[in-house]
Amino acid sequence: ATPRPHKGKRRADGSQRKVGGAAGSSDALDARVHALLTQHFGAFYSEKKCRLNGRLVVKLLERMPLLGWSLAPLVVSKVAGARDAFLCGEACSHLSALLQQKPALGAGASRLLRILPELQVQFLSLLTRDGLKSKHLA
């Protein structure tokens, strides 16, 4: 008879631990990931030497759209509130990537409707900004 593969991981002492953990740990992990992403997304739009780059942010929003929608209010606030005009354009690009994930919009586009009033205010503020060039929005 062949040995069955074991579920879990072997420790150095030969004992075994279960992979996954308790049911509540997933929620705690989600909260920690959300807090880290909120911190680093904010840094991306406001600090000069942030480790995130625009392509990585787009990939995160494409691969985890529900997490992206939880960060959408932060991204919307950076449409006109980022460090410079280029990063304001990046925020618009990131929102565009998020909007392309149609199944994640929710029933009746409820996630979009929640941010729409603030998005309108931010877009108007961006478009009336001094020194804005079309290349910043491309």
Side-chain angles (χ1 to χ4, degrees):
T2 60
R4 293 186 322 181
H6 56 273
K7 292 185 178 184
K9 294 192 177 195
R10 291 232 178 249
R11 294 182 179 168
D13 64 359
S15 65
Q16 195 172 352
R17 73 173 173 87
K18 200 161 177 116
V19 176
S25 68
S26 175
D27 293 337
L29 178 64
D30 289 345
R32 288 193 316 236
V33 168
H34 185 269
L36 277 172
L37 283 176
T38 300
Q39 175 187 356
H40 290 289
F41 269 48
F44 173 76
Y45 295 113
S46 61
E47 295 176 12
K48 190 154 183 117
K49 292 192 178 192
C50 180
R51 297 185 132 206
L52 285 180
N53 64 42
R55 287 177 295 179
L56 178 60
V57 171
V58 170
K59 287 293 182 192
L60 285 170
L61 296 175
E62 288 173 351
R63 291 177 186 231
M64 297 181 281
L66 293 178
L67 189 58
W69 277 107
S70 70
L71 296 168
L74 172 69
V75 177
V76 167
S77 72
K78 301 303 181 180
V79 165
R83 180 171 51 87
D84 58 25
F86 176 77
L87 289 173
C88 291
E90 285 284 289
C92 293
S93 171
H94 297 154
L95 282 174
S96 174
L98 198 55
L99 289 170
Q100 290 173 10
Q101 309 301 317
K102 297 203 185 330
L105 284 172
S110 62
R111 290 185 178 95
L112 176 61
L113 292 176
R114 278 185 262 162
I115 64 167
L116 212 49
E118 180 63 20
L119 183 60
Q120 181 180 8
V121 169
Q122 292 294 320
F123 273 142
L124 289 173
S125 177
L126 174 65
L127 293 174
T128 58
R129 187 177 183 161
D130 286 336
L132 182 69
K133 298 178 182 170
S134 61
K135 69 178 184 179
H136 295 140
L137 299 176

